[in-house]
Amino acid sequence: MPNEFEYIAWLRSQTPADARVRIGPGDDCAALAPPARELLVTTDMLMDGTDFILSEVDPRRVGRKAMAVNLSDIAAMAGIPIAAVVSVALPRPTPPSPLPEGKGEQAREITELEATSADSSFSPFPSGRGDGGVGSSDGPFSSGGVSLPKQLYLGLRDIADAFGVPIVGGDTNTWTNKLVISVTALGEATARGPVRRSGAKPGDWLFVTGPLGGSILGHHLDFTPRVREALLLHEAVELRAMLDISDGLAADLNHICEESKCGAVVVAEAIPISDAARELSRTSGKTPLQHALGDGEDFELVFAVSPTDGTKLLHQPPVPGLAKIGECIEAGLWIEENGERKSLAPTGWVHAL
Amino acid sequence: MPNEFEYIAWLRSQTPADARVRIGPGDDCAALAPPARELLVTTDMLMDGTDFILSEVDPRRVGRKAMAVNLSDIAAMAGIPIAAVVSVALPRPTPPSPLPEGKGEQAREITELEATSADSSFSPFPSGRGDGGVGSSDGPFSSGGVSLPKQLYLGLRDIADAFGVPIVGGDTNTWTNKLVISVTALGEATARGPVRRSGAKPGDWLFVTGPLGGSILGHHLDFTPRVREALLLHEAVELRAMLDISDGLAADLNHICEESKCGAVVVAEAIPISDAARELSRTSGKTPLQHALGDGEDFELVFAVSPTDGTKLLHQPPVPGLAKIGECIEAGLWIEENGERKSLAPTGWVHAL
């Protein structure tokens, strides 16, 4: 299986040296220098047909998204990402080759188990020993052009490198099924500590870091996680509650309200609406505002600060694109449109009164 | 969707307090007290049809295996496990319900994206918002008896609890496809440092911690990761190279040889053979020794120590079940049977001379 070993050698050659990485890919575990402050951990799994449609997108964008959604969770705590590991189940186009002769009735399961156990060599995408598809000319490791695992890896690295995050290990599998990719990102809190969802208070001002809605048109694959923005904001002011908008503004605001035991009111005219939301509204039967409130996967940050800090942000914004969208109140989730307050469902639905 | 929220509430109620966990499930990341020593990271993904056959096994055993294979990798470095996160793609028996009226042609993708974005709430098995299958009476969260995600979680906890490992977060998804479960385990090195694969020297003695072969008959699901054994051994002697046997003894010895740039010779009569290997050999067409050499997923440890330390282990074994199986030499992978040295392939195949 020359392609498999070439691939692993290629992966190792692609892994840059990093002072924090004591042991990189190739052993049972990676080993990192202990972080000085609280260790942050997050994991997100993406599946073909749910989070992306592999037949319709460049796999490199899938790799980018898989890394970016995880770094976005580190950003949501205002953490510094320090490393990531990646596990994948790669689609194998052909069923396993016929069994060698002389195997008994347990042969099918044994072959499968053998394929499984490839997982132990701890390296991003160390493909499966005993795995029928690996190295075959039409398998995921084929080198006609750039193969699927290489493209995925390059996409993962595009985002990881942009934030100085070494990919220190992983687990690569193949199966006759759809692509699944799971990333776990590790981070470190700053001296100000991690920002939770639970610290907002009535009277706090609510901000977002950028325009919302319509991410299905491409942004959900190509967004930049707001790691730097979170750190700059955290340095400038006291972030009382924050998360990254993945479920949609209304739903994610509701998460902050539930965890902070408060309510929120947003001002319709103040919500920054993306060009994609406007474009989508031409065919979707929804307004651009509905897209901004209800669509998922914007991956902008929404956060609460004191009015004093909010004023400071408006006068001296440490990052571009900030918009004050509303305030925290005692209870309920509301939207003000043309001066009229209406009930806002976590789905983004506005209830006319 | 009462079942979904009941389930999340149940999960949170099941998560025990742990002094090292500063922020547990429910925020964008978990936060842990910084480890005092090197941080170990490992990840393993298991798929239905490859690593287990869901229709044939109790899902609780699948959960146990998913956690155990990861803790086994921490054991292989002689580390102390400190936490784990879990991501899953749960099979959903029925396709998503028909779309609500009024959605345009992008509706299918939008619905899918919305389902996706449920991933953000960082909790083991927080099921998907907007996910058609969740909460339906035949979905994975159904409560007729103990549901699949609960059984998986209980299995994960069986092993995690046995080693004092808090499950601090995760990502739960559903899809109309096979079960995938990916665990990332974190550990901490001891004062003696992590044990690599690369430190074996010619003349070192090779040991295993228990009998090998035939794990397909059940051991691959029900094994106990050798976390405690590794720590006791690491305390008693200098472990020069170690890994957990997942690819099969011959293949894993070969990994040690490759990384340590040495060879190895094992003595056939000294290799402890499991009852399962003997049972399997009655129908498999292989000898029990062949199973012990070639089968995967024993998850016993194989390690190299100096002859002095090896003698110490033979006279005062710090753990039961230790067997000296051979020695490291300059080059090659060999087996001695009836005093005759033959070439041993990493697949476990013995080449007659």
Side-chain angles (χ1 to χ4, degrees), chain A residues 26 101 106 246-247:
Chain A
E101 288 172 33
Q106 297 272 0
S246 53
D247 291 354

Side-chain angles (χ1 to χ4, degrees), chain A residues 41-42 73-74 76-77 197 242-244, chain B residues 26-30 120 122:
Chain A
V41 195
T42 185
D73 280 326
I74 302 283
M77 312 290 282
R197 298 176 170 192
M242 185 160 68
L243 51 66
D244 61 323
Chain B
D27 216 309
D28 294 285
C29 296
S120 70
F122 187 79

